[in-house]
Amino acid sequence: MNLRTFGRAGFGVGTVGAVAVSLVLAAPQASAWVGNLNVAGSDHKVGCSYKLTASVEVDRLTSVKFTDNGVDIPGSPVSPSLLSGTVSITWKPTTAGSHKLEARQLLIGDSINVTVGEAAATGSAGCGGGLGGLLSGSA
């Protein structure tokens, strides 16, 4: 190998490195596909239902997978509407403690952590019931 060959190899490696860096720097912008994950209500309890909503701003053709601590939430994945910028699912936690909720579309996702308390001794009435529960997104 001569100096000219090393120069070409160095240029090729440098180009690949520059492309890789630009992809990494652009990755946060790609999170606009699915994001802004939120859960309705507060003081979350085992056995109560809550609406999870995520925005879908770029890809409205690919379904969104919702998980709770890595396990698919029943009804997931959800196909977004072409007319809406959001996608939703009902989440009903079955265990108390910390829950990592995630919405994922292809390789891009958003997550939030929610603490769930023990079920209320009053049953579903402890879920917020009445019109207040319905209006806040609990079902």
Side-chain angles (χ1 to χ4, degrees):
M1 261 188 192
N2 60 30
L3 187 57
R4 179 174 249 176
T5 304
F6 279 117
R8 288 182 189 155
F11 177 75
V13 170
T15 302
V16 170
V19 170
V21 168
S22 66
L23 289 174
V24 168
L25 293 176
Q29 305 304 339
S31 66
W33 286 33
V34 63
N36 300 319
L37 178 62
N38 68 67
V39 58
S42 60
D43 193 27
H44 303 99
K45 303 281 186 205
V46 169
C48 298
S49 296
Y50 304 96
K51 184 176 183 179
L52 295 179
T53 304
S55 63
V56 182
E57 299 180 17
V58 175
D59 182 357
R60 295 187 183 161
L61 298 175
T62 304
S63 61
V64 176
K65 180 178 179 181
F66 288 91
T67 59
D68 176 1
N69 290 334
V71 177
D72 287 0
I73 293 174
S76 180
V78 178
S79 297
S81 164
L82 292 175
L83 304 177
S84 174
T86 63
V87 63
S88 299
I89 194 169
T90 299
W91 170 60
K92 189 173 185 177
T94 58
T95 60
S98 181
H99 291 256
K100 180 180 180 183
L101 304 174
E102 185 175 27
R104 179 164 294 283
Q105 190 178 35
L106 298 175
L107 298 176
I108 300 176
D110 190 21
S111 65
I112 57 174
N113 292 307
V114 176
T115 301
V116 175
E118 293 291 337
T122 57
S124 63
C127 292
L131 291 176
L134 291 174
L135 296 176
S136 69
S138 297

